[in-house]
């Protein structure tokens, strides 16, 4: 931390050069691989208005330096996926929304280690910049996501700080994506939301060993208040789709932790790739193409993906027309497909979806996220009572994506 009363000449570079740090970040991130964003606006600037060296009252640079706090505060929301499950890894369509639950990371920049404490964790995340320890082997477990971001972004400067969140942890609302995105911004990441999402997707992969798609990080980075995001995961075009006021979105926790998600997620992804080897890209395949797959399991996996992409298109049309019953039916069909064809549901999730759909004012429900436990998402009339099924639930609102709320001064 720069805390010198008398320092070098005001023309000298600062000891902690935030611009240099962000340059390093930009170079070390995957800018050459990134496509220019089409519809996503740039992230708000992280340079505070009037930020710079202290000036004397005469307008000349002061000879004596003041303490220059380098505190950065960044926040990133969790997400819920309305429909479009297990389609992102084959370049298909998804319809997630950022939610009004966020992770806030506050860092005092400086030094060559990133040291974060969390209100929710007994042990700190301590990550040495340039460490050779693979992020997936770091302890405590939550520090792996911090280490993943550090490994991908390679920031020049670390810091000390704190993490707070009201995203339910481990419930399938992408608490890890929210952490990654907030840490990346707090470390000075500069780029588009798509670049931010791609960097954090890589961070998640190295931290968890799961070959996840881009949906969670992109929803967190690019969320638009009042809207879900129609994402084409091949082109990475993002189109905000308004959520009607009359719709209440509720996330219901099955209480079942996602035990098999790590191993089975990779297996499903490999099966989709095997199906693509037989009939070409699933994102442009038809149900008739799928019927040509000889292996019955691969055929089912591919049928889920192809029909799910169709359901996303139909769901967007239903949202635009305010056809909430139609939207609800699509969610239920999606759940059935995840259960029968993609086989990522559980008996607990199936019962929860059925129980939710029996309640008055509920238009539809389905498991959301990777499956094997986690949460269901349900669509309710705005004035309908949230069903009390004896499990945790949260009413969530479509919210804005990640931002820096306090830039370094
Ligand atoms: C997880 C992954 C996402 C996506 C979903 C399933 O949340 O991180 O990329 O594949 O599962 O739709």
């Amino acid at each position: 931390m720069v805390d010198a009363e008398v320092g070098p000449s005001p023309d000298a570079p600062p000891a902690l050069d935030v611009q240099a740090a962000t340059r390093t970040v930009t170079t070390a991130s995957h800018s050459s691989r990134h496509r220019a964003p089409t519809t996503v606006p740039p992230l708000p600037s992280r340079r505070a208005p009037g930020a710079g060296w202290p000036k004397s009252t005469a307008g000349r640079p002061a000879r004596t330096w003041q303490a220059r706090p380098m505190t950065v505060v960044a926040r990133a929301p969790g997400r819920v996926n309305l429909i479009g499950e297990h389609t992102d890894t084959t370049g298909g369509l998804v319809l997630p929304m950022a939610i009004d639950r966020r992770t806030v990371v506050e860092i005092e920049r400086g030094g060559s280690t990133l040291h974060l404490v969390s209100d929710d964790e007994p042990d700190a995340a301590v990550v040495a910049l340039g460490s050779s320890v693979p992020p997936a082997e770091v302890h405590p477990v939550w520090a792996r996501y911090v280490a993943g971001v550090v490994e991908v972004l390679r920031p020049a400067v670390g810091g000390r700080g704190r993490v707070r969140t009201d995203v339910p942890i481990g419930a399938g609302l992408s608490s890890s994506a929210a952490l990654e995105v907030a840490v990346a911004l707090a470390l000075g990441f500069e780029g588009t939301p798509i670049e931010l999402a791609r960097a954090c997707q890589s961070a998640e992969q190295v931290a968890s060993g799961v070959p996840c798609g881009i949906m969670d990080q992109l929803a967190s980075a690019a969320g638009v208040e009042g809207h879900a995001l129609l994402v084409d995961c091949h082109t990475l075009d993002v189109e905000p789709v308004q959520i009607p006021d009359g719709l209440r979105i509720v996330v219901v926790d099955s209480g079942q932790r996602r035990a098999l998600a790590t191993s089975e997620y990779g297996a499903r992804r490999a099966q989709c790739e095997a199906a693509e080897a037989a009939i070409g890209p699933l994102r442009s395949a038809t149900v008739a193409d799928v019927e040509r797959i000889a292996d019955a399991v691969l055929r089912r996996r591919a049928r889920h993906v192809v029909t799910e992409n169709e359901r996303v298109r139909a769901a967007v049309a239903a949202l635009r027309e305010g056809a909430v019953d139609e939207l609800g039916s699509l969610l239920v069909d999606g759940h059935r497909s995840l259960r029968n064809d993609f086989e990522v549901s559980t008996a607990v999730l199936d019962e929860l979806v059925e129980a939710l759909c029996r309640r008055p004012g509920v238009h539809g429900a389905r498991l959301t996220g990777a499956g094997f436990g986690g949460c269901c998402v349900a669509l309710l009339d705005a004035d309908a009572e949230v069903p009390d099924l004896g499990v945790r639930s949260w009413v969530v609102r479509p919210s804005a994506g990640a931002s820096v709320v306090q830039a370094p001064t």
Side-chain angles (χ1 to χ4, degrees):
M1 177 183 153
V2 175
D3 193 9
E5 279 184 17
V6 180
S9 116
D11 295 325
L16 295 175
D17 185 347
V18 176
Q19 297 297 352
T22 49
R23 267 199 304 279
T24 307
V25 166
T26 310
T27 320
S29 67
H30 313 273
S31 38
S32 57
R33 288 200 281 119
H34 299 320
R35 225 179 320 264
T38 47
T39 50
V40 185
L43 288 163
S45 164
R46 270 164 292 293
R47 198 76 187 141
W53 301 111
K55 296 276 177 13
S56 72
T57 47
R60 295 190 312 271
R63 298 180 67 81
T64 304
W65 288 30
Q66 298 163 0
R68 289 193 311 119
M70 300 288 286
T71 304
V72 190
V73 183
R75 70 178 184 203
R79 68 95 185 91
V80 64
N81 189 19
L82 297 181
I83 197 161
E85 217 66 84
H86 291 283
T87 48
D88 59 349
T89 48
T90 45
L93 303 175
V94 293
L95 190 64
M97 63 180 218
I99 60 174
D100 52 341
R101 286 178 165 264
R102 302 176 187 89
T103 295
V104 178
V105 174
E106 179 173 349
I107 299 178
E108 185 94 2
R109 303 275 295 276
S112 56
T113 298
L114 179 57
H115 185 293
L116 294 176
V117 295
S118 163
D119 289 2
D120 298 283
E121 299 286 343
D123 297 316
V126 183
V127 178
L129 308 188
S131 162
S132 57
V133 180
E137 290 170 21
V138 165
H139 287 280
V141 170
W142 77 279
R144 292 177 186 174
Y145 301 95
V146 178
V149 174
V150 167
E151 168 147 319
V152 171
L153 296 187
R154 302 186 186 286
V157 180
R160 294 183 77 84
R162 178 170 171 219
V163 178
R164 282 165 291 147
T165 190
D166 62 357
V167 182
I169 295 169
L173 295 177
S174 293
S175 54
S176 59
L179 176 63
E180 292 145 10
V181 172
V183 167
L185 287 181
L187 284 174
F189 180 89
E190 291 198 338
T192 66
I194 290 172
E195 289 165 346
L196 176 59
R198 293 190 90 145
C200 292
Q201 175 194 11
S202 300
E204 172 91 27
Q205 290 179 344
V206 295
S208 65
V210 177
C212 66
I214 199 168
M215 173 175 70
D216 305 346
Q217 291 77 16
L218 189 52
S220 181
V224 176
E225 187 166 357
H227 295 71
L229 303 180
L230 170 61
V231 183
D232 178 325
C233 296
H234 181 59
T235 61
L236 293 185
D237 283 345
V238 178
E239 196 180 330
V241 181
Q242 197 166 359
I243 302 287
D245 287 341
L247 207 55
R248 177 180 265 193
I249 296 159
V250 182
V251 176
V252 184
D253 189 2
S254 70
Q256 207 177 24
R257 296 282 73 95
R258 293 170 299 149
L260 286 171
T262 304
S263 54
E264 292 295 324
Y265 188 95
R268 293 297 182 282
R269 186 165 179 169
Q271 287 165 340
C272 289
E273 281 161 12
E276 292 200 311
I279 60 165
L282 292 181
R283 65 173 182 279
S284 48
T286 63
V287 175
D289 295 330
V290 168
E291 291 308 317
R292 292 194 281 111
I293 301 175
D295 182 277
V297 172
L298 297 189
R299 197 163 59 236
R300 285 208 304 278
R301 304 297 187 250
R303 187 166 56 206
H304 164 72
V305 173
V306 169
T307 57
E308 185 78 346
N309 283 329
E310 288 171 0
R311 280 186 290 274
V312 175
R313 284 191 199 91
V316 169
L319 270 173
R320 290 194 171 128
E321 288 159 16
V324 287
D325 278 332
E326 168 66 13
L327 187 60
S329 303
L330 289 163
L331 263 65
V332 174
D333 289 350
H335 183 82
R336 204 172 291 130
S337 177
L338 287 164
R339 184 188 65 197
N340 298 342
D341 281 347
F342 217 66
E343 293 182 282
V344 294
S345 189
T346 65
V348 176
L349 287 166
D350 296 343
E351 279 165 28
L352 198 53
V353 167
E354 278 176 29
L356 285 163
C357 290
R358 279 197 298 269
R359 297 298 176 114
V362 176
H363 295 285
R366 63 173 201 91
L367 77 83
T368 183
F372 303 105
C375 288
C376 292
V377 59
L379 300 182
L380 276 66
D381 284 328
D383 54 0
E385 213 172 295
V386 176
D388 180 6
L389 297 169
V391 288
R392 297 190 299 175
S393 64
W394 304 273
V395 174
V396 292
R397 289 178 186 79
S399 300
S403 62
V404 172
V405 283
Q406 183 184 314
T409 54

